[in-house]
Amino acid sequence: MAHPIHRLFIPAPGQKLRQPQIAPECVSVSKASRREDMTEAEKIAAKLEPKLARAFFKLLATMQEAVDLQALADALASGDIGKVLSLIVNADTGMADEEVEQIIQEAVWGGAALAASQINARVTGAYFAFDRLNPRLISWLKGYSLSLIRQITDETKESIRDKLISGMTSGSNPVEVAREIKGAIGLTTRQQKAVSNFRKELQTFHERKGAKAWNLGGKIDRVNGRQVFKPGADGTPKDAVDERRLRDFRFDGQLQRAMGTGKPLSKEQIDRMVAAYERKYLRYRSEVIARTEALRTTNYGVQDAWRQAIETGKVVESQVRRMWIVAKDERLCSVCAPIPGMNPKRGVPFGKPFSTPRGPAMVPPIHPNCRCTLFLRQWEPEQLANG
Ligand SMILES: [Zn+2]
């Protein structure tokens, strides 16, 4: 009577399901998918994405706000980097963690409900009801959220350490440096570098003859109300760094004036512009994380519903196959486009990973901005016998 539990898909609590972060080759940050081109799973993920982005932003912003400026300045004055980092890592983020966890749960449930309706529509006599409170799923969810949050905290710690060690700070006393460090909490090393370069550029802005790439006084590029960026070859938003598109455009008048009069920007002006830039970068980072995680967890929900259907005997594992559905705007993606051709026509068996140009993978996404989804179905044995 006992159905085997397919551990292959279930990382132990705290363990990661995440694919290794790899250089993206097909980034479509500047392109918003048309709704009618999306798979059902993509739609579910897209709907949850803004909510998840807000929750991540809240988490990162809370991490920042929770650090006591004076304590941070004291730790900096003592020269103890370990103490500085522990202040940041141990900051109390309160309910922000739970909010992230809750939305991830919603995504998994959304994917599972979709799969359940497909199972009931296609598998004769299945009458499958997905159990949201399945203990295995609940413990997976807990572990997944925890490891995701821990990863974000670890990255933050790493980038603050880099900032301190590489002397990316410009303040002349501990309180000033503390303020700079505090503002940078939540950003990656690369993003922090962009912020400190931005500050340097502002300090000499009045010496410029022009700032053509900045498009001063221009408009923010938006799609559906959201700011979009042209990505560079490695997928980072090129113009966010090179053209400072993440700056607060409301300060453009001050920049133009500094250039026109040759009078340097005041320290207060620079601090305000840098703070606004950091804030927008934090929001941008939250959106990037949310985009990947919303899709990953929705896909996981689809997968988990099928697992439950197998475990409860509603479908027959040996007849289930999984197909990798390449998102419409990824048809030219060098990572994902070849995947369907690399795998059996009727799909891979339930417990087997897909072959991909990046090695075996269980569930998409496999690169930032990957929008691929899963489709599972149960075949008749004779259909499978004929290849
Ligand atoms: Zn993809």
Side-chain angles (χ1 to χ4, degrees):
M1 198 46 221
H3 289 276
I5 292 181
H6 307 278
R7 297 218 165 265
L8 196 53
F9 292 109
I10 317 167
Q15 206 187 337
K16 291 174 192 169
L17 173 85
R18 302 167 61 78
Q19 306 289 343
Q21 284 300 302
I22 35 188
E25 260 139 48
C26 41
V27 190
S28 51
V29 199
S30 56
K31 228 184 336 169
S33 303
R34 281 149 43 106
R35 217 185 133 71
E36 58 268 34
D37 292 341
M38 292 181 179
T39 60
E40 290 307 310
E42 234 185 311
K43 283 181 199 163
I44 292 170
K47 201 168 152 225
L48 283 169
E49 216 182 285
K51 218 166 134 185
L52 190 55
R54 276 195 298 276
F56 279 126
F57 179 76
K58 195 166 156 194
L59 178 72
L60 298 174
T62 311
M63 210 193 287
Q64 203 179 88
E65 280 149 22
V67 174
D68 181 69
L69 192 66
Q70 194 52 53
L72 190 58
D74 293 345
L76 284 162
S78 74
D80 186 347
I81 292 187
K83 207 164 152 193
V84 172
L85 296 177
S86 89
L87 276 174
I88 293 165
V89 172
N90 298 324
D92 182 12
T93 49
M95 299 296 285
D97 298 22
E98 274 148 66
E99 221 168 285
V100 167
E101 194 180 321
Q102 202 199 318
I103 301 165
I104 282 178
Q105 178 170 289
E106 255 179 77
V108 171
W109 286 352
L114 168 69
S117 71
Q118 287 169 343
I119 290 169
N120 287 323
R122 289 166 168 270
V123 182
T124 320
Y127 306 114
F128 168 64
F130 176 73
D131 175 13
R132 292 177 158 206
L133 300 177
N134 178 304
R136 170 181 47 72
L137 176 65
I138 295 296
S139 104
W140 181 85
L141 275 169
K142 191 89 202 155
Y144 186 81
S145 305
L146 273 177
S147 75
L148 184 59
I149 290 165
R150 193 178 309 126
Q151 185 177 333
I152 292 171
T153 317
D154 287 351
E155 277 168 13
T156 298
K157 194 167 90 177
E158 248 353 273
S159 61
I160 294 289
R161 190 204 310 272
D162 287 351
K163 192 173 168 79
L164 288 168
I165 290 172
S166 65
M168 271 196 283
T169 53
S170 69
S172 49
N173 65 60
V175 177
E176 248 175 74
V177 177
R179 201 167 284 131
E180 250 182 80
I181 295 287
K182 191 172 160 148
I185 292 174
L187 298 180
T188 64
T189 297
R190 178 180 208 134
Q191 292 165 345
Q192 286 183 15
K193 273 191 190 130
V195 171
S196 65
N197 288 336
F198 181 62
R199 182 182 284 277
K200 274 186 214 140
E201 284 179 343
L202 294 179
Q203 282 160 349
T204 57
F205 210 82
H206 59 290
E207 294 166 10
R208 278 173 177 255
K209 294 277 167 285
K212 200 158 168 279
W214 288 49
N215 186 25
L216 291 177
K219 282 218 316 245
I220 291 178
D221 306 318
R222 291 183 199 275
V223 173
N224 300 329
R226 202 162 92 179
Q227 187 172 3
V228 291
F229 310 93
K230 272 185 242 112
D234 65 350
T236 51
K238 186 170 159 283
D239 42 5
V241 178
D242 298 346
E243 300 166 19
R244 304 297 177 201
R245 304 296 283 177
L246 278 169
R247 72 178 186 273
D248 188 330
F249 282 49
R250 284 171 298 184
F251 294 116
D252 281 9
Q254 294 180 27
L255 292 174
Q256 276 162 327
R257 225 164 300 134
M259 221 162 40
T261 61
K263 202 170 154 259
L265 295 162
S266 71
K267 191 178 172 309
E268 291 68 37
Q269 281 178 311
I270 293 175
D271 283 346
R272 263 200 303 274
M273 291 183 201
V274 169
Y277 188 63
E278 274 169 348
R279 202 80 183 161
K280 285 192 75 179
Y281 238 132
L282 210 58
R283 200 169 290 283
Y284 168 77
R285 185 179 182 215
S286 314
E287 284 168 5
V288 171
I289 302 173
R291 191 166 162 80
T292 312
E293 293 312 317
L295 189 74
R296 194 195 309 280
T297 45
T298 304
N299 283 339
Y300 183 82
V302 169
Q303 172 75 28
D304 197 74
W306 279 86
R307 187 206 322 281
Q308 277 193 24
I310 291 169
E311 285 170 3
T312 52
K314 304 288 183 184
V315 300
V316 183
E317 182 177 1
S318 61
Q319 288 165 241
V320 174
R321 293 290 181 275
R322 315 187 310 128
M323 272 156 280
W324 185 289
I325 310 299
V326 178
K328 196 158 185 189
D329 58 2
E330 276 193 282
R331 300 269 155 97
L332 299 173
C333 167
S334 62
V335 183
C336 296
I339 296 176
M342 293 172 74
N343 292 281
K345 203 172 101 229
R346 300 204 197 281
V348 296
F350 188 78
K352 291 265 162 57
F354 293 95
S355 301
T356 85
R358 294 288 167 79
M362 290 307 289
V363 179
I366 48 168
H367 61 83
N369 274 301
C370 174
R371 308 316 291 153
C372 298
T373 50
L374 290 176
F375 183 75
L376 283 83
R377 65 167 286 184
Q378 176 170 289
W379 298 88
E380 295 307 322
E382 49 276 23
Q383 289 176 305
L384 292 172
N386 299 335

